[in-house]
Amino acid sequence: MTEKTWSGRFSTPIAESVKTYTASIPFDHRLAEFDIQGSLAHAQMLCETGLITLDDLGAIQSGMDTLLHEVRGGCFPWSLDDEDVHLNIERRLTALVGDAGKKLHTARSRNDQVATDIRLWLRHEIDRIDGALERVQLALLDLADAHAGTVMPGFTHLQVAQPVTFGHHMMAYFEMFSRDRERLKDTRSRVNRLPLGAAALAGTSYPINRERVAELLAFDGLCMNSLDAVSDRDFAIEFCAAAALIMTHVSRMSEEFILWMNPRFNFLRIGDAYCTGSSIMPQKRNPDVPELARGKTGRVTGHLMGLLTLMKSQPLAYNKDNQEDKEPLFDTADTLNNTLSILAEMLHDVHPNLESMRRAALEGFSTATDLADYLVYKGLPFRDAHEVVAQAVRLAENRQCDLSDLSLDTLKTFSSLIADDVHQVLTLEGSLASRNLPGGTAPEQVKKAAKKARLTLQR
Ligand code: ARG
């Protein structure tokens, strides 16, 4: 059995059960490339400050080059004996280049090393997720452009409320994802700070140059307190909170697509490539993709709770508890990347059913508010107008027709203010066109909003 790197002060070898229980290598090996990146910057700085020789640096660099190939080629000899990614890489490097490998850990601890690795990894994932969000937004913009004038019922309480356009509805999600991207960007600024130099917890006595390492690794700054640098994972929690919100938005959209695909709505069709069948019911077309996206929201929200709970009772500084940050964090990023990528694809294969949406918008007296507004313009106080329209709706309901099907004479019996210009107000198009202020559903506004949004993406 190989000796543990730190086993010098122990008299009995570690129990096999403890080795397995405490190892993080089964999952943290995916940090390998970032661990190497961090070590190379650290080594370069050690050389520049005279703490290792140029020969040492050369040996470390060429050894790391070999390691990188092994990692990428899937042939790195990972070993449980070495506990985690950091010790595995250090041992392999030392096996390849000898003493230079042993010098790499000068002025460093695994505590500041792991915090650095996670930050480097997370920064990379945030950038990928941001790209995936942008693809989703572009797909939404295409739908909004194509359907700026496509009428559908807007709902409150899931009851028909007022006509809106499908494009407007899609732009609502565009807005949510814009804020999600702002949040990620903001989170990234706090992720992108360098813990190295904090060493185990108290800082280091070696004359290192932290700023230089930050510069080499493209960090925006340093973590300014060594205890904090190695112990807090608030940046990971923050990311998970942003992730949970993104998934919440995805989930709401998914829920709507699932409802809208139901024949009772029949508002849209999702292409066959993004639906699945049933093994027993030959007629079925199931919206598995949005359903799974909705479902996966639960696990991401769960990871946020997990990390908050992981952190809540830890005394300063580093505790082994923190090793538990990785699996939820990895799974959160993977779930987001996968979900957003497939969503962006699927949105290109979403086909609104214009007739069904129009019919539904005509069914629930969706222009009743427009009639009330019409009466207000003619001088009636809004509360009275509301009452007048309620009476008219009641009659139309009895006759099982729409407000616009009532004759002018019939409408006039409710208010003498009603004249022959009323029918224009009662049409779906009239209602849409009237909401022509920024943020409103008028086709003109939707087109403008989409155009402006596209420009912000191109920046
Ligand atoms: N595998 C550990 C983690 O993920 C690395 C840091 C270990 N540090 C220590 N002093 N045991 O947190």
Side-chain angles (χ1 to χ4, degrees):
M1 171 181 166
T2 40
E3 288 220 338
K4 281 277 191 187
T5 311
W6 40 254
S7 62
R9 54 113 51 225
F10 289 79
S11 47
T12 324
I14 189 172
E16 279 300 310
S17 55
V18 174
K19 198 166 85 181
T20 313
Y21 189 68
T22 55
S24 54
I25 196 64
F27 49 87
D28 72 6
H29 64 84
R30 78 181 273 179
L31 293 174
E33 292 201 25
F34 299 95
D35 194 72
I36 291 172
Q37 201 185 330
S39 288
L40 284 173
H42 181 68
Q44 184 165 335
M45 178 278 294
L46 288 179
C47 176
E48 287 171 5
T49 47
L51 289 162
I52 61 172
T53 65
L54 205 56
D55 283 350
D56 290 333
L57 176 63
I60 290 171
Q61 286 171 333
S62 81
M64 286 301 199
D65 205 42
T66 308
L67 259 66
L68 202 57
H69 279 101
E70 290 179 347
V71 167
R72 289 188 178 153
C75 56
F76 187 97
W78 299 113
S79 161
L80 204 59
D81 289 330
D82 285 321
E83 195 174 316
D84 58 26
V85 63
H86 325 292
L87 295 178
N88 265 269
I89 286 184
E90 192 185 318
R91 188 190 291 268
R92 179 88 185 119
L93 179 71
T94 304
L96 287 176
V97 307
D99 279 355
K102 293 188 195 164
K103 295 181 187 170
L104 177 61
H105 213 51
T106 311
R108 185 176 81 169
S109 150
R110 274 186 296 155
N111 296 351
D112 57 348
Q113 189 179 356
V114 69
T116 303
D117 290 6
I118 309 171
R119 285 169 186 264
L120 286 171
W121 171 83
L122 186 53
R123 179 177 81 180
H124 175 76
E125 291 300 316
I126 286 176
D127 292 345
R128 284 180 64 205
I129 292 166
D130 186 63
L133 277 171
E134 183 172 65
R135 295 201 298 282
V136 169
Q137 285 187 307
L138 281 167
L140 287 170
L141 278 184
D142 287 347
L143 282 169
D145 274 335
H147 296 285
T150 299
V151 67
M152 68 178 283
F155 299 92
T156 59
H157 312 267
L158 204 55
Q159 310 294 313
V160 171
Q162 291 174 351
V164 295
T165 71
F166 184 72
H168 195 52
H169 204 114
M170 293 300 101
M171 285 306 288
Y173 284 106
F174 181 96
E175 288 293 316
M176 294 177 227
F177 292 127
S178 295
R179 293 194 298 278
D180 287 332
R181 291 183 68 192
E182 284 172 24
R183 261 185 290 272
L184 278 184
K185 193 173 166 202
D186 195 48
T187 300
R188 191 191 194 279
S189 71
R190 278 178 294 279
V191 169
N192 204 28
R193 291 177 197 168
L194 176 77
L196 275 180
L201 77 163
T204 179
S205 57
Y206 295 97
I208 61 168
N209 184 349
R210 295 189 68 200
E211 284 82 5
R212 176 69 177 136
V213 180
E215 184 191 0
L216 288 168
L217 293 173
F219 278 109
D220 295 327
L222 308 178
C223 297
M224 287 314 294
N225 178 291
S226 60
L227 295 164
D228 178 44
V230 293
S231 77
D232 208 341
R233 295 292 181 266
D234 58 353
F235 65 91
I237 295 174
E238 223 184 301
F239 166 73
C240 284
L245 267 173
I246 294 171
M247 288 302 290
T248 299
H249 292 152
V250 167
S251 186
R252 295 188 71 183
M253 181 152 99
S254 299
E255 169 73 4
E256 296 200 317
F257 281 11
I258 294 161
L259 280 175
W260 293 348
M261 247 184 86
N262 181 294
R264 311 264 158 177
F265 273 88
N266 194 23
F267 280 8
L268 55 78
R269 190 174 60 78
I270 295 177
D272 280 351
Y274 294 94
C275 287
T276 51
S278 156
S279 52
I280 175 170
M281 296 164 285
Q283 86 284 12
K284 291 295 290 284
R285 269 178 101 256
N286 295 329
D288 279 27
V289 171
E291 286 175 90
L292 259 182
R294 186 178 57 184
K296 285 177 189 291
T297 306
R299 73 200 257 174
V300 171
T301 307
H303 292 327
L304 170 62
M305 295 308 137
L307 286 190
L308 282 166
T309 313
L310 174 68
M311 206 74 243
K312 75 173 272 291
S313 306
Q314 284 192 52
L316 299 185
Y318 177 86
N319 301 284
K320 186 75 168 177
D321 309 43
N322 275 346
Q323 184 165 289
E324 285 290 302
D325 63 354
K326 286 168 205 62
E327 287 159 293
L329 200 54
F330 293 163
D331 189 65
T332 298
D334 291 344
T335 305
L336 255 77
N337 270 313
N338 294 337
T339 303
L340 293 169
S341 296
I342 198 162
L343 188 66
E345 278 178 39
M346 190 194 78
L347 283 171
H348 290 292
D349 206 358
V350 161
H351 311 278
N353 183 338
L354 312 198
E355 269 154 56
S356 292
M357 292 199 294
R358 165 169 277 277
R359 209 177 313 126
L362 283 170
E363 265 163 19
F365 307 106
S366 64
T367 56
T369 315
D370 297 272
L371 181 55
D373 292 342
Y374 168 88
L375 291 167
V376 169
Y377 278 120
K378 303 253 169 175
L380 203 60
F382 183 77
R383 280 289 156 236
D384 295 338
H386 187 282
E387 182 57 28
V388 166
V389 178
Q391 298 298 329
V393 165
R394 197 196 265 229
L395 179 73
E397 205 165 29
N398 283 338
R399 293 194 185 169
Q400 296 188 348
C401 69
D402 186 51
L403 279 179
S404 60
D405 297 326
L406 297 175
S407 70
L408 184 58
D409 287 341
T410 310
L411 285 168
K412 277 181 160 168
T413 62
F414 295 104
S415 167
S416 56
L417 293 171
I418 294 179
D420 56 6
D421 55 353
V422 69
H423 276 103
Q424 190 198 323
V425 165
L426 293 177
T427 63
L428 297 175
E429 277 66 27
S431 170
L432 289 178
S434 71
R435 289 174 166 72
N436 198 11
L437 284 174
T441 194
E444 196 184 319
Q445 288 298 333
V446 176
K447 272 187 216 127
K448 262 192 204 163
K451 195 171 166 194
K452 202 166 154 199
R454 214 176 273 280
L455 287 175
T456 65
L457 292 194
Q458 278 157 5
R459 270 212 304 261

